[in-house]
Coordinates of all heavy atoms in Angstrom, one line a residue:
M16 N 22.0 -66.0 47.8 CA 20.9 -65.1 47.5 C 21.2 -64.5 46.1 O 22.2 -64.0 45.9 CB 20.7 -64.0 48.6 CG 19.5 -63.2 48.3 SD 19.1 -62.2 49.8 CE 19.6 -60.6 49.1
K17 N 20.2 -64.6 45.2 CA 20.4 -63.9 43.9 C 20.2 -62.4 44.0 O 19.4 -61.9 44.7 CB 19.3 -64.5 43.0 CG 19.6 -66.0 42.6 CD 18.5 -66.4 41.6 CE 18.9 -66.2 40.2 NZ 18.0 -66.8 39.3
K18 N 21.1 -61.7 43.3 CA 20.9 -60.3 43.1 C 19.7 -59.9 42.2 O 19.5 -60.6 41.2 CB 22.2 -59.6 42.6 CG 23.3 -59.6 43.6 CD 24.4 -58.7 43.0 CE 25.4 -58.3 44.1 NZ 26.3 -57.2 43.6
R19 N 19.1 -58.9 42.6 CA 18.0 -58.3 41.8 C 18.6 -57.5 40.7 O 19.6 -56.7 40.9 CB 17.1 -57.4 42.6 CG 16.3 -58.1 43.7 CD 15.2 -58.9 43.3 NE 14.2 -58.2 42.6 CZ 13.2 -58.8 42.0 NH1 13.0 -60.0 42.0 NH2 12.3 -58.0 41.4
W20 N 18.0 -57.6 39.5 CA 18.5 -56.7 38.5 C 17.5 -55.5 38.3 O 16.4 -55.6 38.7 CB 18.4 -57.6 37.1 CG 19.6 -58.5 37.0 CD1 19.8 -59.7 37.6 CD2 20.8 -58.1 36.3 NE1 21.0 -60.2 37.3 CE2 21.7 -59.2 36.6 CE3 21.3 -57.1 35.6 CZ2 23.0 -59.3 36.0 CZ3 22.6 -57.1 35.0 CH2 23.4 -58.2 35.3
H21 N 18.0 -54.5 37.8 CA 17.3 -53.2 37.7 C 17.4 -52.7 36.3 O 18.5 -52.7 35.7 CB 17.9 -52.2 38.7 CG 17.9 -52.6 40.1 ND1 16.8 -52.6 40.9 CD2 18.9 -53.2 40.8 CE1 17.2 -53.0 42.1 NE2 18.4 -53.4 42.0
L22 N 16.3 -52.1 35.8 CA 16.3 -51.4 34.6 C 16.3 -49.9 35.1 O 15.7 -49.6 36.0 CB 15.0 -51.6 33.8 CG 14.8 -50.6 32.8 CD1 15.0 -51.1 31.4 CD2 13.4 -49.9 32.9
Y23 N 17.1 -49.0 34.4 CA 17.1 -47.7 34.8 C 17.1 -46.7 33.6 O 17.6 -47.1 32.6 CB 18.3 -47.4 35.7 CG 19.6 -47.6 35.0 CD1 20.3 -46.6 34.5 CD2 20.2 -48.9 35.0 CE1 21.6 -46.7 33.8 CE2 21.5 -49.0 34.5 CZ 22.1 -48.0 33.8 OH 23.3 -48.2 33.2
I24 N 16.7 -45.5 33.8 CA 16.8 -44.4 32.7 C 17.4 -43.3 33.5 O 17.0 -42.9 34.6 CB 15.4 -43.9 32.2 CG1 14.5 -45.1 31.7 CG2 15.5 -42.8 31.3 CD1 13.1 -44.8 31.3
I25 N 18.5 -42.7 32.9 CA 19.1 -41.6 33.3 C 19.2 -40.5 32.3 O 19.0 -40.7 31.1 CB 20.7 -41.9 33.7 CG1 21.5 -42.5 32.5 CG2 20.8 -42.9 34.9 CD1 22.8 -42.8 32.8
E26 N 19.2 -39.3 32.8 CA 19.3 -38.1 32.0 C 20.7 -37.5 32.1 O 21.3 -37.4 33.2 CB 18.3 -37.1 32.5 CG 18.3 -35.8 31.5 CD 17.4 -34.8 32.0 OE1 17.0 -34.7 33.2 OE2 16.8 -34.1 31.1
C27 N 21.3 -37.3 30.9 CA 22.7 -36.8 30.8 C 22.7 -35.4 30.9 O 21.7 -34.7 30.7 CB 23.3 -37.4 29.5 SG 23.4 -39.1 29.3
R28 N 23.8 -34.8 31.0 CA 24.1 -33.4 31.2 C 23.5 -32.7 29.9 O 22.9 -31.5 30.1 CB 25.5 -33.0 31.3 CG 25.8 -31.5 31.4 CD 27.3 -31.3 31.5 NE 28.0 -31.8 30.4 CZ 29.1 -32.3 30.3 NH1 29.8 -32.4 31.4 NH2 29.7 -32.6 29.1
D29 N 23.5 -33.2 28.8 CA 23.1 -32.6 27.5 C 21.6 -32.8 27.3 O 21.1 -32.5 26.3 CB 23.8 -33.0 26.3 CG 23.7 -34.5 26.1 OD1 23.0 -35.3 26.7 OD2 24.4 -35.1 25.0
G30 N 20.9 -33.5 28.2 CA 19.5 -33.6 28.2 C 19.0 -34.9 27.5 O 17.8 -35.2 27.4
T31 N 19.9 -35.7 27.0 CA 19.6 -37.0 26.3 C 19.4 -38.0 27.5 O 19.8 -37.8 28.6 CB 20.8 -37.5 25.4 OG1 22.0 -37.6 26.2 CG2 21.0 -36.5 24.3
L32 N 18.7 -39.0 27.0 CA 18.3 -40.2 28.0 C 19.0 -41.4 27.6 O 19.4 -41.7 26.4 CB 16.8 -40.5 27.8 CG 15.8 -39.3 28.2 CD1 14.4 -39.8 28.0 CD2 16.0 -38.8 29.6
Y33 N 19.4 -42.2 28.6 CA 20.1 -43.4 28.5 C 19.4 -44.4 29.3 O 19.1 -44.2 30.4 CB 21.7 -43.3 28.9 CG 22.3 -44.6 28.8 CD1 22.8 -45.1 27.6 CD2 22.4 -45.4 30.0 CE1 23.5 -46.3 27.5 CE2 23.1 -46.6 29.9 CZ 23.7 -47.0 28.6 OH 24.3 -48.3 28.5
T34 N 19.1 -45.7 28.7 CA 18.5 -46.7 29.3 C 19.4 -47.9 29.5 O 20.1 -48.2 28.5 CB 17.2 -47.1 28.5 OG1 16.4 -46.0 28.5 CG2 16.5 -48.3 29.3
G35 N 19.6 -48.5 30.7 CA 20.4 -49.6 30.8 C 19.9 -50.5 31.9 O 18.8 -50.3 32.5
I36 N 20.7 -51.6 32.2 CA 20.3 -52.6 33.3 C 21.5 -52.8 34.1 O 22.7 -52.6 33.7 CB 19.9 -53.9 32.8 CG1 20.9 -54.6 31.9 CG2 18.6 -53.7 31.9 CD1 20.6 -56.0 31.6
T37 N 21.4 -53.2 35.3 CA 22.4 -53.5 36.3 C 21.9 -54.2 37.3 O 20.8 -54.4 37.6 CB 23.0 -52.2 36.8 OG1 24.2 -52.4 37.6 CG2 22.1 -51.3 37.6
N38 N 22.9 -55.0 38.2 CA 22.5 -55.6 39.4 C 23.0 -54.9 40.6 O 22.8 -55.3 41.7 CB 23.0 -57.1 39.3 CG 24.5 -57.2 39.3 OD1 25.2 -56.2 39.4 ND2 25.0 -58.3 39.0
D39 N 23.5 -53.6 40.4 CA 23.9 -52.8 41.4 C 23.8 -51.3 41.0 O 24.7 -50.7 40.5 CB 25.4 -53.1 41.8 CG 25.8 -52.3 43.1 OD1 25.2 -51.3 43.5 OD2 26.9 -52.7 43.8
L40 N 22.6 -50.8 41.3 CA 22.2 -49.5 40.7 C 23.1 -48.4 41.3 O 23.5 -47.6 40.4 CB 20.7 -49.3 41.1 CG 20.1 -48.0 40.5 CD1 20.0 -48.1 39.0 CD2 18.6 -47.9 40.9
A41 N 23.3 -48.3 42.5 CA 24.2 -47.2 43.1 C 25.5 -47.2 42.5 O 26.1 -46.2 42.1 CB 24.2 -47.3 44.6
R42 N 26.1 -48.4 42.3 CA 27.5 -48.5 41.8 C 27.4 -48.1 40.3 O 28.3 -47.3 39.9 CB 27.9 -50.0 41.8 CG 29.3 -50.2 41.1 CD 29.8 -51.7 41.0 NE 28.6 -52.5 40.4 CZ 28.4 -52.6 39.0 NH1 29.1 -52.0 38.2 NH2 27.5 -53.5 38.7
R43 N 26.4 -48.5 39.6 CA 26.4 -48.2 38.2 C 26.1 -46.6 37.9 O 26.8 -46.1 37.0 CB 25.3 -49.0 37.5 CG 25.2 -48.9 36.0 CD 26.4 -49.6 35.4 NE 26.3 -49.5 34.0 CZ 27.3 -49.5 33.2 NH1 28.6 -49.6 33.6 NH2 27.2 -49.5 31.8
I44 N 25.3 -46.1 38.7 CA 25.1 -44.6 38.5 C 26.5 -43.9 38.8 O 26.8 -43.0 38.1 CB 24.0 -44.1 39.5 CG1 22.6 -44.8 39.0 CG2 23.9 -42.6 39.3 CD1 22.2 -44.5 37.6
G45 N 27.1 -44.3 39.8 CA 28.5 -43.8 40.2 C 29.4 -43.9 39.1 O 30.2 -43.0 38.7
E46 N 29.5 -45.0 38.4 CA 30.3 -45.3 37.2 C 30.0 -44.3 36.2 O 30.9 -43.8 35.5 CB 30.2 -46.7 36.8 CG 30.8 -47.8 37.7 CD 30.6 -49.2 37.2 OE1 29.7 -49.4 36.4 OE2 31.1 -50.1 37.8
H47 N 28.7 -44.1 35.8 CA 28.3 -43.1 34.7 C 28.9 -41.8 35.2 O 29.3 -41.0 34.3 CB 26.8 -43.1 34.6 CG 26.3 -44.3 33.9 ND1 26.6 -44.6 32.6 CD2 25.4 -45.2 34.3 CE1 25.9 -45.7 32.2 NE2 25.2 -46.1 33.1
N48 N 28.7 -41.4 36.4 CA 29.1 -40.0 36.8 C 30.7 -39.8 36.9 O 31.2 -38.8 36.7 CB 28.6 -39.7 38.2 CG 27.0 -39.2 38.0 OD1 26.8 -38.5 37.0 ND2 26.3 -39.6 38.9
R49 N 31.4 -41.0 36.9 CA 32.8 -40.9 37.0 C 33.4 -41.1 35.5 O 34.7 -41.1 35.3 CB 33.4 -41.9 37.8 CG 33.3 -41.6 39.3 CD 34.1 -42.6 40.2 NE 33.9 -44.0 39.9 CZ 32.8 -44.6 40.5 NH1 32.0 -44.1 41.3 NH2 32.6 -46.0 40.2
G50 N 32.5 -41.3 34.5 CA 32.9 -41.4 33.1 C 33.4 -42.8 32.9 O 34.1 -43.1 31.9
K51 N 33.0 -43.7 33.8 CA 33.4 -45.2 33.6 C 32.2 -46.1 33.1 O 32.3 -47.3 33.1 CB 34.0 -45.7 34.9 CG 35.2 -44.9 35.4 CD 36.4 -45.1 34.4 CE 37.5 -44.4 35.1 NZ 38.7 -44.3 34.1
G52 N 31.0 -45.5 33.0 CA 29.9 -46.3 32.8 C 29.7 -46.9 31.4 O 29.6 -48.1 31.2
C53 N 29.8 -46.2 30.3 CA 29.7 -46.6 29.0 C 30.2 -45.5 28.1 O 30.2 -44.4 28.5 CB 28.3 -47.2 28.6 SG 27.0 -45.8 28.5
R54 N 30.4 -45.9 26.8 CA 30.9 -44.9 25.8 C 29.8 -43.7 25.7 O 30.2 -42.6 25.6 CB 31.1 -45.6 24.5 CG 31.8 -44.6 23.5 CD 32.1 -45.4 22.2 NE 32.8 -46.5 22.5 CZ 33.1 -47.5 21.7 NH1 32.7 -47.3 20.4 NH2 33.8 -48.6 21.9
Y55 N 28.5 -44.1 25.7 CA 27.6 -43.0 25.5 C 27.5 -42.0 26.5 O 27.5 -40.8 26.2 CB 26.1 -43.6 25.4 CG 25.1 -42.6 24.9 CD1 24.9 -42.3 23.7 CD2 24.4 -41.9 26.0 CE1 24.1 -41.2 23.3 CE2 23.5 -41.0 25.6 CZ 23.3 -40.7 24.3 OH 22.4 -39.6 23.9
T56 N 27.6 -42.4 27.8 CA 27.6 -41.4 28.9 C 29.0 -40.8 29.3 O 29.0 -39.9 30.1 CB 26.9 -42.0 30.1 OG1 27.7 -43.1 30.6 CG2 25.5 -42.4 29.8
R57 N 30.1 -41.3 28.7 CA 31.4 -41.0 29.2 C 31.6 -39.6 29.2 O 32.2 -39.0 30.2 CB 32.4 -41.6 28.3 CG 33.9 -41.6 28.8 CD 34.8 -42.5 28.1 NE 34.2 -43.9 28.6 CZ 34.5 -45.0 27.9 NH1 34.9 -44.9 26.7 NH2 34.0 -46.1 28.3
F58 N 31.3 -38.8 28.2 CA 31.4 -37.4 28.1 C 30.1 -36.6 28.3 O 30.1 -35.3 27.9 CB 32.1 -37.0 26.8 CG 33.4 -37.7 26.7 CD1 33.6 -38.7 25.8 CD2 34.5 -37.3 27.6 CE1 34.8 -39.4 25.6 CE2 35.7 -38.1 27.4 CZ 35.9 -39.1 26.4
R59 N 29.1 -37.3 28.7 CA 27.8 -36.6 28.9 C 27.5 -36.4 30.4 O 26.3 -36.1 30.7 CB 26.7 -37.3 28.1 CG 26.8 -37.2 26.7 CD 25.7 -38.0 26.0 NE 25.6 -37.7 24.6 CZ 26.2 -38.4 23.6 NH1 26.9 -39.3 24.0 NH2 26.0 -38.0 22.5
G60 N 28.3 -36.7 31.3 CA 28.1 -36.6 32.7 C 28.1 -35.2 33.3 O 28.7 -34.4 32.6
P61 N 27.6 -34.9 34.4 CA 27.1 -36.0 35.3 C 25.7 -36.4 34.8 O 25.1 -35.7 34.1 CB 26.9 -35.2 36.7 CG 26.9 -33.8 36.2 CD 27.7 -33.6 35.1
V62 N 25.2 -37.5 35.3 CA 23.9 -38.0 34.9 C 23.0 -37.9 36.2 O 23.5 -37.8 37.2 CB 24.0 -39.5 34.4 CG1 24.9 -39.6 33.2 CG2 24.4 -40.5 35.4
R63 N 21.7 -38.0 35.9 CA 20.7 -37.9 36.9 C 19.8 -39.1 36.8 O 19.2 -39.3 35.6 CB 20.0 -36.6 36.9 CG 18.8 -36.4 37.9 CD 18.4 -35.0 37.9 NE 17.7 -34.6 36.6 CZ 16.3 -34.7 36.5 NH1 15.5 -34.9 37.4 NH2 15.8 -34.3 35.3
L64 N 19.6 -39.9 37.8 CA 18.6 -41.0 37.7 C 17.2 -40.5 37.6 O 16.7 -39.7 38.5 CB 18.8 -42.0 38.9 CG 17.9 -43.2 39.0 CD1 18.2 -44.1 37.9 CD2 18.0 -43.9 40.4
L65 N 16.5 -40.9 36.6 CA 15.1 -40.6 36.4 C 14.1 -41.6 36.8 O 13.0 -41.4 37.4 CB 14.8 -40.1 34.9 CG 15.5 -38.9 34.3 CD1 15.0 -38.8 32.9 CD2 15.2 -37.7 35.2
Y66 N 14.5 -42.9 36.5 CA 13.6 -44.0 36.8 C 14.3 -45.3 37.0 O 15.4 -45.5 36.4 CB 12.7 -44.2 35.5 CG 11.7 -45.2 35.6 CD1 10.5 -45.2 36.3 CD2 11.9 -46.4 34.9 CE1 9.7 -46.2 36.5 CE2 11.1 -47.5 35.0 CZ 9.9 -47.4 35.7 OH 9.1 -48.4 35.7
A67 N 13.8 -46.1 37.9 CA 14.4 -47.4 38.0 C 13.2 -48.4 38.4 O 12.4 -48.0 39.1 CB 15.5 -47.5 39.1
E68 N 13.4 -49.6 38.0 CA 12.5 -50.6 38.4 C 13.2 -52.0 38.6 O 14.2 -52.2 37.8 CB 11.3 -50.8 37.5 CG 11.7 -51.3 36.1 CD 10.5 -51.5 35.0 OE1 9.8 -50.4 34.9 OE2 10.4 -52.6 34.6
S69 N 12.7 -52.8 39.5 CA 13.4 -54.2 39.7 C 12.8 -55.1 38.7 O 11.8 -55.0 38.4 CB 13.1 -54.6 41.1 OG 13.8 -53.8 42.1
C70 N 13.7 -56.1 38.4 CA 13.2 -57.1 37.4 C 13.7 -58.4 38.0 O 14.6 -58.5 38.8 CB 14.0 -56.9 36.0 SG 13.6 -55.4 35.2
A71 N 13.0 -59.5 37.7 CA 13.2 -60.8 38.3 C 14.6 -61.4 38.0 O 15.1 -62.0 38.9 CB 12.1 -61.8 37.8
G72 N 15.2 -61.1 36.8 CA 16.5 -61.6 36.5 C 17.0 -60.9 35.4 O 16.4 -60.0 34.8
R73 N 18.2 -61.3 35.0 CA 18.9 -60.6 34.0 C 18.2 -60.6 32.6 O 18.0 -59.6 31.9 CB 20.3 -61.2 33.7 CG 21.2 -60.4 32.7 CD 22.6 -60.8 32.8 NE 23.4 -59.9 32.0 CZ 24.0 -60.2 30.8 NH1 23.8 -61.4 30.3 NH2 24.7 -59.3 30.2
S74 N 17.6 -61.8 32.3 CA 16.9 -62.0 31.1 C 15.7 -61.0 31.1 O 15.5 -60.3 30.0 CB 16.4 -63.5 31.0 OG 15.7 -63.6 29.8
G75 N 15.0 -61.0 32.1 CA 13.8 -60.1 32.2 C 14.2 -58.7 32.1 O 13.5 -57.8 31.5
A76 N 15.3 -58.3 32.7 CA 15.8 -56.9 32.7 C 16.1 -56.6 31.2 O 15.8 -55.4 30.7 CB 16.9 -56.7 33.6
M77 N 16.7 -57.4 30.6 CA 17.1 -57.3 29.1 C 15.9 -57.0 28.2 O 15.9 -56.2 27.4 CB 18.0 -58.3 28.6 CG 19.4 -58.3 29.3 SD 20.5 -59.8 28.8 CE 20.8 -59.3 27.1
K78 N 14.9 -57.9 28.5 CA 13.7 -57.8 27.6 C 13.0 -56.5 27.9 O 12.6 -55.8 27.0 CB 12.8 -59.0 27.9 CG 13.4 -60.3 27.4 CD 12.4 -61.4 27.8 CE 13.1 -62.7 27.3 NZ 12.3 -63.9 27.8
R79 N 13.0 -56.0 29.2 CA 12.3 -54.8 29.6 C 13.1 -53.7 29.0 O 12.6 -52.6 28.5 CB 12.2 -54.6 31.0 CG 11.6 -53.4 31.5 CD 10.1 -53.4 31.3 NE 9.5 -52.3 31.9 CZ 8.5 -51.5 31.4 NH1 8.0 -51.8 30.3 NH2 8.0 -50.5 32.1
E80 N 14.5 -53.8 29.0 CA 15.3 -52.6 28.4 C 15.0 -52.5 26.9 O 14.9 -51.4 26.4 CB 16.8 -53.0 28.6 CG 17.7 -52.0 28.0 CD 19.2 -52.5 28.1 OE1 19.5 -53.8 28.1 OE2 20.1 -51.7 28.1
A81 N 14.9 -53.6 26.2 CA 14.6 -53.5 24.8 C 13.3 -52.8 24.6 O 13.2 -52.0 23.6 CB 14.7 -55.0 24.2
R82 N 12.3 -53.1 25.3 CA 11.0 -52.5 25.2 C 11.0 -51.0 25.5 O 10.4 -50.2 24.7 CB 9.9 -53.1 26.1 CG 9.6 -54.5 25.5 CD 8.3 -55.1 26.3 NE 8.4 -55.2 27.7 CZ 8.8 -56.3 28.3 NH1 9.2 -57.4 27.6 NH2 8.9 -56.3 29.6
I83 N 11.7 -50.7 26.5 CA 11.9 -49.2 26.9 C 12.7 -48.4 25.8 O 12.2 -47.3 25.4 CB 12.6 -49.0 28.3 CG1 11.7 -49.7 29.3 CG2 12.8 -47.6 28.6 CD1 10.4 -49.0 29.6
K84 N 13.8 -49.1 25.3 CA 14.5 -48.4 24.4 C 13.8 -48.1 23.0 O 14.1 -47.1 22.3 CB 15.8 -49.2 24.0 CG 16.9 -49.1 25.1 CD 18.2 -49.8 24.7 CE 19.2 -49.4 25.7 NZ 20.5 -50.0 25.4
A85 N 12.8 -48.9 22.8 CA 11.9 -48.8 21.6 C 10.9 -47.6 21.7 O 10.4 -47.2 20.7 CB 11.3 -50.0 21.2
L86 N 10.7 -47.1 22.9 CA 9.7 -46.0 23.1 C 10.3 -44.7 22.7 O 11.5 -44.4 22.8 CB 9.4 -46.0 24.5 CG 8.7 -47.0 25.2 CD1 8.6 -46.8 26.7 CD2 7.3 -47.3 24.6
P87 N 9.4 -43.7 22.2 CA 9.9 -42.5 22.0 C 10.2 -41.7 23.3 O 9.8 -42.1 24.3 CB 8.7 -41.7 21.2 CG 7.5 -42.7 21.4 CD 8.0 -44.0 21.9
R88 N 11.0 -40.7 23.1 CA 11.4 -39.8 24.3 C 10.3 -39.5 25.2 O 10.4 -39.7 26.5 CB 12.2 -38.7 23.8 CG 12.7 -37.7 25.0 CD 13.5 -36.5 24.4 NE 13.7 -35.6 25.4 CZ 14.6 -35.6 26.3 NH1 15.6 -36.6 26.2 NH2 14.8 -34.8 27.3
A89 N 9.2 -39.0 24.6 CA 8.1 -38.6 25.4 C 7.5 -39.6 26.3 O 7.2 -39.3 27.4 CB 7.0 -37.9 24.5
K90 N 7.4 -40.8 25.7 CA 6.9 -41.9 26.6 C 7.8 -42.3 27.7 O 7.4 -42.7 28.7 CB 6.5 -43.0 25.7 CG 5.3 -42.8 24.9 CD 4.7 -44.1 24.2 CE 3.5 -43.8 23.4 NZ 2.9 -44.9 22.8
K91 N 9.1 -42.3 27.4 CA 10.1 -42.6 28.5 C 10.0 -41.6 29.6 O 10.0 -41.9 30.8 CB 11.5 -42.6 27.9 CG 11.8 -43.6 27.0 CD 13.2 -43.5 26.4 CE 13.5 -44.5 25.2 NZ 14.8 -44.3 24.6
L92 N 9.8 -40.3 29.3 CA 9.7 -39.3 30.2 C 8.3 -39.4 31.0 O 8.3 -39.2 32.2 CB 9.7 -37.9 29.6 CG 11.1 -37.5 29.1 CD1 11.0 -36.1 28.3 CD2 12.1 -37.4 30.2
R93 N 7.3 -39.8 30.4 CA 6.0 -40.1 31.1 C 6.2 -41.3 32.0 O 5.7 -41.3 33.2 CB 4.9 -40.4 30.1 CG 4.1 -39.2 29.8 CD 2.9 -39.5 28.9 NE 3.5 -40.0 27.7 CZ 3.1 -39.8 26.5 NH1 1.9 -39.1 26.4 NH2 3.6 -40.3 25.5
L94 N 6.9 -42.2 31.6 CA 7.2 -43.4 32.5 C 7.9 -43.0 33.7 O 7.6 -43.4 34.8 CB 7.9 -44.6 31.8 CG 8.4 -45.7 32.5 CD1 7.2 -46.5 33.0 CD2 9.3 -46.5 31.7
A95 N 8.9 -42.2 33.6 CA 9.7 -41.7 34.6 C 9.0 -40.9 35.6 O 9.2 -40.8 36.8 CB 11.0 -40.9 34.0
A96 N 8.0 -40.0 34.9 CA 7.2 -39.2 35.8 C 6.2 -39.8 36.7 O 5.6 -39.4 37.6 CB 6.5 -38.1 35.0
G97 N 6.0 -41.2 36.3 CA 5.0 -42.0 37.1 C 3.5 -41.9 36.4 O 2.6 -41.9 36.9

């Protein structure tokens, strides 16, 4: 069975937003909170999950990530709010 990929937006302790992809959302958020996620969030934890969506595969998740990262902060927050 293929794992589902997820696009996610988290809010860091300093109020900044980070967008990423993963095939194990709970594990990845835990990594961010332990300072093991990525360089950007390493010293900005703890983080809070604002938004997540499932994608068909890694390629689709990466394309969606690129589109989301190009959005201004206000639009990312609107997306997260629903």
Side-chain angles (χ1 to χ4, degrees):
M16 186 169 106
K17 290 178 88 175
K18 282 194 169 191
R19 295 287 297 178
W20 282 83
H21 305 276
L22 165 108
Y23 63 94
I24 301 173
I25 54 177
E26 183 178 30
C27 301
R28 178 183 62 214
D29 63 1
T31 58
L32 302 178
Y33 176 83
T34 303
I36 64 170
T37 184
N38 60 9
D39 187 337
L40 190 58
R42 175 189 52 80
R43 189 66 174 151
I44 299 303
E46 288 173 348
H47 284 300
N48 280 322
R49 288 189 305 277
K51 305 289 184 189
C53 69
R54 187 177 306 170
Y55 186 82
T56 62
R57 189 161 295 147
F58 302 107
R59 289 180 167 91
V62 302
R63 180 173 64 102
L64 181 64
L65 293 181
Y66 178 77
E68 67 182 54
S69 292
C70 300
R73 185 170 192 250
S74 176
M77 290 174 71
K78 289 175 184 174
R79 181 72 171 140
E80 177 187 26
R82 288 193 299 269
I83 299 293
K84 283 185 171 184
L86 294 175
R88 177 184 171 84
K90 287 192 177 182
K91 290 177 190 177
L92 290 173
R93 266 187 296 221
L94 175 66

